[in-house]
Amino acid sequence: MSDTEDVWSDWNPIAQHYFDETSNKYERVNVAPAKDNGKLDRISKQKQYPYLIIKKKNPFITENLLANYFGDIIYEIEFRSGSREFLVYFHNIGSLEAAWTKFRQFPNIVHCVEGRAQKSISFNSALQLPPPTNEPNSVNLESRTIMISANKHKHPEFTKPPIVIRSDYTRKGSQLADNDGNYRYLSVKYEFMLERHGAYVLEQNIEKDQAVLHFRSGRSIITPKIQLEAKPAQVESQLEKLAKKCFSCKCYTDISCKFCQMPFCNTICFDVLADVHKESCGKGSLPEIDDAIISEFSKIQLPPSGSNVKISAFEQSNVVYVRSAEIGDEIAYYKVLSDVMLHGKHSAKLMQMPHCGEIVIYKSSVQIVRAMVLNVDNPQAIYVVCVDYGNVEIITLDTLYECSPYLAGLPRYALPVLLRAVPRRFMSPNLRSMLYELDHTYTFVLKYSKRDFDFDKGMQRVILIESELNRSLNRLINTIVNPVEPSISEIGYKEDYLQHVHLPTGKNIELVVMDNTFIKFGVIHCTILDYAYEITSMQRNFQYYGESIAKCKSFAAPKNELCIAKYQGKWCRGVCMELVGDGYPSILFIDYGNIAAVNVDDIRPYPPQFTFPILTTEYELLDMPDDITAEQLAHLEKHLALGAIINCDEVIYNELDNNYSLRLDVVQKLTMEN
């Protein structure tokens, strides 16, 4: 019996049916619904992160494509195979706005599902991308860790008074009207204040082939060493043995008439003397030259179109001084420079302030040039223009000397021209470094039409083409001064991309208050007055970029990156300090110092062409009371008002903390009262 049980113990008919799959045929199976953990995770993420729904319309729409398309603003990508849709999650609202901006720029790459609301999730309808609207979101102040400025004052503006005004020409006995008959310097500007204060390299001396190339304000001067070392009497005696003075320009020359031996420099000088020479040459005597001929000769004209010219100085981004580069004019030009240097060494020093429009001799460390006085309001900052080059300089009285009538009557060869289709822009470091290379070695072909003469500015509009490589100087300057909006996917620029100019330190320093909104925390932003003028001039470039060039409708700048933001209706440059997800990043306006919440619709990417230095510095107020009262704060804000010029008792630079401090009597009085 036991054997029989062992045989049938392994037989199980139910197991046979269970393992036989052909027998497993069921008409209907009721399965209990399982808990969808994936759906719960999706709902949780949709409540926490804003997202977009991207339709997979073709096999090319993949996770890698979306990751490359949006960049690092994506938090996570989820694919739903049933509906063939991608759920793209973003870090915050700012990243979502940046994604929507890219959709508007490239609408045919991916397609976003719009207007899809889910009734079970009320938060989803707010985060899912709605159609564009002009209604701004509310500013979230509770989530911010950086304090924004409580007061929304307008940024201060500073306009520098003109160097020359119309009354300087119209007053009785004005020498400026005689020496500048076309009112050329009525609208002249000085564009080199940053160089004057050491922000850029002003002078550079290079020893080359026994000559000193002196770069200053875009001009180059060749000063042979023999002229600097030799005595004037010896030079005069040696020149008189080898050459004679031209009857027209009084420069030394070895060219003379074969019949009467009348000396002249070139065809221009000979044409001026042609009438008097014709009468005297037949008689075998030298002509008699009066001052009328010399003054007529001094009115040099612009070389004809198609002539070769060289740049002697640049005044603005669209104004340069040129002179003829033809061989005869080149020789005559350098003869004038040599004559001014030789005779100017013996000039008497000016003992009193010169008059506006007076021709004087200006002696610098390496050269002697003729100059015309433009403004004499300040003895320590006299504006003059070097007539043989065209550049405007700010000098002191001790560098000026009397100019003889002979030197004042010598011809002028440098003439201002207006570069056609080149706008006037702030002189950025990129433009300066390029213009400094335009020394005497570069020759340009001058192209213009007389119909393009600008009667308002008294200058001819021209095109300058570099003769060797046939490159247009106008096009090159336009490329440098006109900013290009970077792509939203490009890496932005940090604050260290710009040069920060250090302000003077010491006692009794005058500073201009640019922002006082953080004065209750003992912080104030200031600069010097000359830099305040430069900051106002920069704003024209930012305004033009924001209104005419930047096409991005909205931009959420990453943290600590530069941007162009609108404040009080004007575009300024700033740094994004914080993103809180409400569509209003905290922007620090680096040229002033205030921090404001700016909507992403009023922010643009920062172009790499704006390399203007930072001229405003943050100062810590010393002896500031810890528990300052409202009355004391109001008194301090009144004394340190926005745009006020204050006399600081001491400006201190702290090397250890790398910051600046201010010591003011008004703050010390508050401490004593407290």
Side-chain angles (χ1 to χ4, degrees), residues 510-521:
E510 282 193 350
L511 296 178
V512 179
V513 179
M514 301 299 290
D515 181 74
N516 62 359
T517 55
F518 298 104
I519 195 171
K520 64 179 179 179
F521 304 106

Side-chain angles (χ1 to χ4, degrees), residues 147-168:
M147 181 70 66
I148 64 174
S149 301
N151 299 325
K152 296 183 179 180
H153 299 303
K154 287 188 176 181
H155 290 155
E157 296 182 359
F158 301 87
T159 303
K160 195 170 186 179
I163 300 176
V164 177
I165 58 178
R166 187 167 294 275
S167 60
D168 295 329

Side-chain angles (χ1 to χ4, degrees), residues 615-652:
L615 305 175
T616 302
T617 300
E618 178 182 290
Y619 292 92
E620 178 185 357
L621 295 176
L622 298 178
D623 303 325
M624 189 71 176
D626 295 333
D627 51 348
I628 185 171
T629 63
E631 183 180 357
Q632 291 174 337
L633 182 61
H635 176 69
L636 191 59
E637 288 180 346
K638 183 179 180 180
H639 181 78
L640 304 177
L642 202 66
I645 301 177
I646 58 175
N647 190 355
C648 305
D649 297 291
E650 189 176 6
V651 179
I652 306 171

Side-chain angles (χ1 to χ4, degrees), residues 305 420 447-453 460-463:
S305 180
R420 183 193 299 174
K447 296 286 186 180
Y448 66 90
S449 173
K450 293 183 178 180
R451 293 175 297 179
D452 290 337
F453 188 83
Q460 177 70 52
R461 294 190 182 94
V462 302
I463 297 176

Side-chain angles (χ1 to χ4, degrees), residues 149 153 155 495 514-515 518 525 535 539 542 562-577 585-599 602-603 614 616-617:
S149 301
H153 299 303
H155 290 155
E495 190 174 355
M514 301 299 290
D515 181 74
F518 298 104
H525 292 79
I535 292 174
Q539 304 310 311
F542 305 145
L562 296 170
C563 63
I564 302 295
K566 183 180 287 188
Y567 178 79
Q568 299 287 343
K570 292 188 177 182
W571 294 95
C572 309
R573 60 177 178 173
V575 176
C576 181
M577 304 298 293
S586 299
I587 303 298
L588 165 64
F589 294 97
I590 56 179
D591 293 314
Y592 301 95
N594 64 310
I595 300 177
V598 182
N599 189 269
D602 294 331
I603 304 177
I614 301 175
T616 302
T617 300

Side-chain angles (χ1 to χ4, degrees), residues 170-233:
T170 57
R171 69 166 54 102
K172 185 177 180 180
S174 172
Q175 299 185 37
L176 190 60
D178 298 334
N179 295 321
D180 185 24
N182 57 354
Y183 289 26
R184 162 68 188 91
Y185 295 100
L186 183 60
S187 59
V188 70
K189 306 293 183 181
Y190 184 76
E191 302 285 344
F192 309 100
M193 193 59 68
L194 294 178
E195 291 183 333
R196 185 169 184 260
H197 288 278
Y200 303 129
V201 178
L202 179 62
E203 298 182 0
Q204 180 182 7
N205 295 335
I206 303 176
E207 300 288 341
K208 182 179 179 181
D209 298 332
Q210 296 182 352
V212 177
L213 275 67
H214 178 65
F215 294 85
R216 183 167 183 167
S217 299
R219 72 168 183 266
S220 60
I221 302 172
I222 298 182
T223 307
K225 289 184 176 180
I226 187 174
Q227 293 186 5
L228 295 177
E229 298 174 357
K231 295 182 180 180

Side-chain angles (χ1 to χ4, degrees), residues 295-351:
S295 61
E296 182 181 355
F297 177 78
S298 300
K299 298 178 181 178
I300 193 70
Q301 295 182 353
L302 187 67
S305 180
S307 304
N308 292 327
V309 296
K310 291 183 178 180
I311 296 178
S312 61
F314 58 90
E315 180 181 299
Q316 299 171 9
S317 60
N318 59 345
V319 177
V320 297
Y321 278 78
V322 298
R323 59 177 178 82
S324 176
E326 304 298 335
I327 185 62
D329 298 333
E330 190 95 333
I331 295 174
Y333 174 73
Y334 282 107
K335 283 184 177 180
V336 170
L337 297 183
S338 301
D339 218 13
V340 171
M341 177 165 289
L342 291 175
H343 290 81
K345 291 181 180 180
H346 307 286
S347 299
K349 196 169 186 178
L350 282 178
M351 303 307 297

Side-chain angles (χ1 to χ4, degrees), residues 312 404 434 540 619:
S312 61
S404 63
M434 187 276 295
R540 292 196 299 265
Y619 292 92

